[in-house]
Amino acid sequence: MTDLGTGWVRRAIRRELRYVRGQFAGLAERDSHQRFEARQIAKATLAAALAWFLADRFLPHETVWIAPATAVIMVHATVYQTLTNGVRRVSAVAVGVILAGSVGYVLGLNALSLILVVPPALIAARWRRMGRHGSDVATTAVLMLSFGAASQERYLLAYVAATGVGAVVGGSINAVLWPPLYRRRPQDAVRRLSSEAAALLKDLADGLREQGDLSDLPDWQRHADRLDTHLARATSAIADSAESRRFNLRRRIVEPELRDHTPLLAAMGRIGVHLHGIVRALGHVAQRQKQHDDDAPPWISDDFAHDYADLLERLAEALATQLRPSDEAVQMSALIEAALERAEAIQEKMTEEVSAGRLDQPRGWAASGSLLTDAERILSVLSTLQAESERPPAADADPVTGPAGVR
């Protein structure tokens, strides 16, 4: 093996070792993802063993295997998913058994029986109420025909019963023993999104402060693209948190996360759009500058780049402060006010330069205006968010689910 190949293997091994160490370290943290996964694994194991015991005691031996298999599948990430998917799986299996039994009892296994069973099974599988368990209709029907069990009424009934036993056992264990309740996931996801956006603003500020250095533009573009991924994860985390409270016995016992992250998530979505706009404008500037001689004046003046970098840095600080405790609201207001003053100063300076005809590079004025506009819109979003956070909640509002009657 070459030195290059050996180095790659060593790096891969080190990455995997770091991952394993991180997983074990997470087990020591309260409410960590690793602890959650460990509990779910333990619950699935217990559900499989209990389902096998019950099926082995009360059902024919040849159908026992389906009970623990179904029980493991039913230990979902939320109690709501467990209940709804349990009903769907049992229903799908029952429909498949009915199709196979009604045709197989008369025709047995042959090409004609498959022609008669597969199309209606696939049509039933596409019913939206079946969800992801719709495929179980077709697979169950074909398996019953293939095993020659479609004509054995006792086996078909036992197969459905074993599926029901597994679903009930798996669903009961997941609903009673540490039912999943995501309290920290929305906050962590939104915090990561906000931190990534603040970090991008800081990187942009650092680059522009160095005489408008755009050499890190590819990294900024990748960073902006990652924001979309973080936004999707945060959206999913908030939806999962809301779903985890449905039919959950712990929702009345465990103190809920009082902060509603939905307004901040919506604000971050708008901020992400304007961050993409800033990066695209800088990409346009970099492309245009490459097409002209090195001796030509820069499209963005050094004064504008320096002032704009200060504005972006203030926006980054304000964004990083957004998720901190409420006692720092005064600091947040001060940061927004400072950013607003800087934006107004830049706008006044640009207006004076245009009026006096003192633009070093007139073709870059549009790009500078675009950059300033996106920064001002980010500032507007933060200002609105700050004003909403200082507004007292309605008297009839639930801190988690919103106004009374809304869930």
Side-chain angles (χ1 to χ4, degrees):
M1 182 179 295
T2 64
D3 292 340
L4 181 60
T6 303
W8 180 86
V9 171
R10 289 176 179 173
R11 288 193 297 272
I13 292 175
R14 284 197 294 268
R15 283 197 302 269
E16 295 304 318
L17 289 177
R18 283 196 299 269
Y19 171 79
V20 172
R21 285 195 297 268
Q23 296 302 305
F24 278 106
L27 292 174
E29 300 177 6
R30 183 180 179 183
D31 294 332
S32 65
H33 174 72
Q34 289 79 8
R35 281 197 178 187
F36 167 77
E37 293 297 339
R39 283 196 297 266
Q40 292 299 100
I41 291 173
K43 288 158 61 175
T45 304
L46 176 61
L50 182 57
W52 178 87
F53 174 79
L54 294 175
D56 185 60
R57 187 175 182 87
F58 298 107
L59 297 175
H61 179 72
E62 59 269 20
T63 61
V64 169
W65 65 273
I66 193 62
T70 303
V72 170
I73 296 173
M74 289 302 103
V75 182
H76 286 281
T78 65
V79 175
Y80 175 77
Q81 290 180 16
T82 291
L83 297 178
T84 55
N85 284 302
V87 173
R88 288 168 177 165
R89 170 143 177 101
V90 174
S91 300
V93 169
V95 171
V97 165
I98 291 172
L99 286 174
S102 59
V103 175
Y105 185 80
V106 178
L107 300 177
L109 174 62
N110 51 54
L112 179 58
S113 62
L114 290 173
I115 291 174
L116 294 176
V117 165
V118 172
L122 292 177
I123 291 174
R126 284 160 172 75
W127 186 33
R128 63 185 180 87
R129 296 294 184 184
M130 287 293 185
R132 67 180 186 180
H133 288 288
S135 60
D136 292 339
V137 178
T139 55
T140 299
V142 173
L143 282 175
M144 294 301 99
L145 286 173
S146 302
F147 290 162
S151 59
Q152 302 177 22
E153 181 179 350
R154 178 174 174 272
Y155 181 87
L156 296 178
L157 293 175
Y159 190 91
V160 176
T163 303
V165 169
V168 170
V169 170
S172 299
I173 288 179
N174 198 43
V176 174
L177 297 180
W178 297 294
L181 186 60
Y182 305 135
R183 297 174 61 244
R184 290 176 46 186
R185 182 173 293 187
Q187 177 177 334
D188 293 342
V190 175
R191 188 184 298 276
R192 277 194 297 271
L193 173 62
S194 181
S195 299
E196 286 290 328
L200 177 56
L201 283 168
K202 185 67 169 58
D203 290 344
L204 291 169
D206 292 341
L208 291 172
R209 189 172 284 111
E210 296 295 331
Q211 288 76 43
D213 182 14
L214 302 180
S215 60
D216 291 333
L217 182 62
D219 292 335
W220 298 340
Q221 292 170 335
R222 287 190 291 268
H223 199 155
D225 291 337
R226 287 201 302 271
L227 289 180
D228 297 336
T229 302
H230 286 290
L231 178 62
R233 290 175 179 172
T235 303
S236 177
I238 291 177
D240 290 344
S241 178
E243 183 182 282
S244 73
R245 298 183 61 79
R246 301 183 67 178
F247 309 117
N248 195 315
L249 300 177
R250 294 174 62 201
R251 64 171 297 179
R252 300 298 182 187
I253 301 174
V254 179
E255 182 180 355
E257 169 63 48
L258 298 180
R259 180 162 186 169
D260 181 13
H261 296 90
T262 304
L264 181 55
L265 180 66
M268 289 306 305
R270 296 192 293 272
I271 289 174
V273 171
H274 300 308
L275 277 171
H276 276 288
I278 292 174
V279 174
R280 282 195 297 269
L282 292 175
H284 175 74
V285 169
Q287 182 181 11
R288 290 299 185 181
Q289 288 184 168
K290 287 181 180 179
Q291 296 174 355
H292 293 78
D293 296 334
D294 295 336
D295 296 334
W299 275 55
I300 297 179
S301 68
D302 292 341
D303 288 342
F304 176 83
H306 187 273
D307 293 341
Y308 191 70
D310 288 343
L311 173 59
L312 294 184
E313 190 165 16
R314 284 172 170 78
L315 292 177
E317 292 174 359
L319 192 55
T321 306
Q322 183 61 49
L323 284 176
R324 294 174 186 169
S326 57
D327 57 1
E328 297 193 19
V330 176
Q331 180 185 358
M332 179 69 178
S333 299
L335 290 170
I336 291 178
E337 184 65 25
L340 181 60
E341 292 176 358
R342 173 58 65 181
E344 291 176 348
I346 295 174
Q347 192 172 49
E348 290 176 1
K349 183 182 294 187
M350 290 178 64
T351 302
E352 292 176 0
E353 290 176 351
V354 172
S355 300
R358 291 186 286 103
L359 290 177
D360 294 334
Q361 180 55 281
R363 289 176 297 181
W365 181 81
S368 299
S370 174
L371 290 170
L372 182 59
T373 299
D374 278 314
E376 288 180 332
R377 286 173 177 169
I378 293 176
L379 178 57
S380 175
V381 172
L382 290 174
S383 300
T384 303
L385 195 62
Q386 174 67 9
E388 291 177 351
S389 66
E390 293 176 349
R391 187 180 306 158
D396 59 346
D398 185 290
V400 174
T401 58
V406 179
R407 292 295 183 266

